[in-house]
């Protein structure tokens, strides 16, 4: 009973900042619907799988022509997303820090679908130099780019710095993806123009972004081990991904580009990011929701 109570609290508290207009009865009703896996307006619920969503997604009908880059695809949400879209014929590019794990995923995907095309590349999202190397390597392949899923993320309970001297969580979750998007967005615009297929950029965020106050980010306060708060650092990085999506959306609209960008909260998902942090409560099963952005995501 205690664990169920804590799970409800974990869902409800972050949402309160954004849904104050809902009364307690409505809030509890929606929470229970989520826990029970009852489908919402999109036709999917917390128990929906990536394959169920992919199979009903009109965007993937002609998926033989699509190329997708998925970061953080060696486990959790990214791995399941890669598997599901590869099964539909999408060429999947997996930039990974651990090439061995990426190769194991490729083997699993190919076992499930022998015709799947999976390309592995090395990247360390916390390193700007590594991100630049990956982008240059990908662009040199001369491939189109239809989908970019900025999924990778870390959560650190202690203060660490990247090789570029940025706080590690922010460097990995936001700065790396910012540069990745910046270097690949013209290729996505070009691909959309040539193929007539809308490009999709997806930033994986989190409802925990609402834990950051409206006043400002608190970077300086966290750059000392005594003041560092891992949850706040994670929340700030996720708010940054949303702000990034909003700004890129404006730029794409100004260019009249046939590319969209959305930020998505995947719900409570059991992934490797919190595996070593028992203070966080995650779902019992791997409910893959990020892929739903192909059909429904909260638009920027």
């Amino acid at each position: 009973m205690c664990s169920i109570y804590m799970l409800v609290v974990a869902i409800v508290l972050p949402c309160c900042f954004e849904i104050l207009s809902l009364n307690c009865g409505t809030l509890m009703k929606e929470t229970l619907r989520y826990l029970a896996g009852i489908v919402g307006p999109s036709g999917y619920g917390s128990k929906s799988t990536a394959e169920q969503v992919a199979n009903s997604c009109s965007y993937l009908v002609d998926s033989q022509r699509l190329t997708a880059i998925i970061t953080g695809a060696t486990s959790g949400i990214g791995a399941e997303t890669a598997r599901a879209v590869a099964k539909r014929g999408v060429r999947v590019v997996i930039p990974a820090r651990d090439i061995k794990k990426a190769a194991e995923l490729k083997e699993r995907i190919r076992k499930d679908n022998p015709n799947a095309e999976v390309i592995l590349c090395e990247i360390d999202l916390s390193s700007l130099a590594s991100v630049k190397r990956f982008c240059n390597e990908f662009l040199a392949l001369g491939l189109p780019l239809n989908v970019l899923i900025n999924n990778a993320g870390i959560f650190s309970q202690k203060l660490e710095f990247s090789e570029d001297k940025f706080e590690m969580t922010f460097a990995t979750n936001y700065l790396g993806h910012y540069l990745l998007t910046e270097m690949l967005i013209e290729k996505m615009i070009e691909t959309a123009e040539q193929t007539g297929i809308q490009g999709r950029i997806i930033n994986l965020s989190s409802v925990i972004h609402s834990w950051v106050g409206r006043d400002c980010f608190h970077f300086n306060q966290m750059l000392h081990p005594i003041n560092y708060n891992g949850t706040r650092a994670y929340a700030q990085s996720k708010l940054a991904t949303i702000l990034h999506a909003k700004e890129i959306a404006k730029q794409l609209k100004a260019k009249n580009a046939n590319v969209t960008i959305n930020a998505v909260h995947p719900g409570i998902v059991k992934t490797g990011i919190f595996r070593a942090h028992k203070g966080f409560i995650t779902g019992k099963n791997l409910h893959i929701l990020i892929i739903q952005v192909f059909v429904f995501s909260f638009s920027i």
Side-chain angles (χ1 to χ4, degrees), residues 266-286:
I268 297 178
V269 184
K270 184 179 181 181
T271 70
I273 192 169
F274 295 135
R275 195 167 292 149
H277 308 290
K278 299 188 182 301
F280 279 81
I281 298 174
T282 56
K284 182 178 180 181
N285 300 311
L286 184 60

Side-chain angles (χ1 to χ4, degrees), residues 171-200:
T172 304
N173 296 0
Y174 172 65
L175 292 178
H177 285 126
Y178 166 83
L179 181 59
L180 184 71
T181 304
E182 188 72 12
M183 292 189 68
L184 297 178
I185 197 166
E186 289 303 320
K187 168 58 70 172
M188 296 194 70
I189 294 173
E190 175 187 302
T191 299
E193 289 178 347
Q194 294 175 347
T195 64
I197 301 174
Q198 185 184 73
R200 307 273 178 102

Side-chain angles (χ1 to χ4, degrees), residues 131-141 183-184:
V131 173
K132 290 178 181 177
R133 279 195 299 271
F134 163 73
C135 290
N136 289 331
E137 289 174 7
F138 172 78
L139 293 173
L141 295 175
M183 292 189 68
L184 297 178

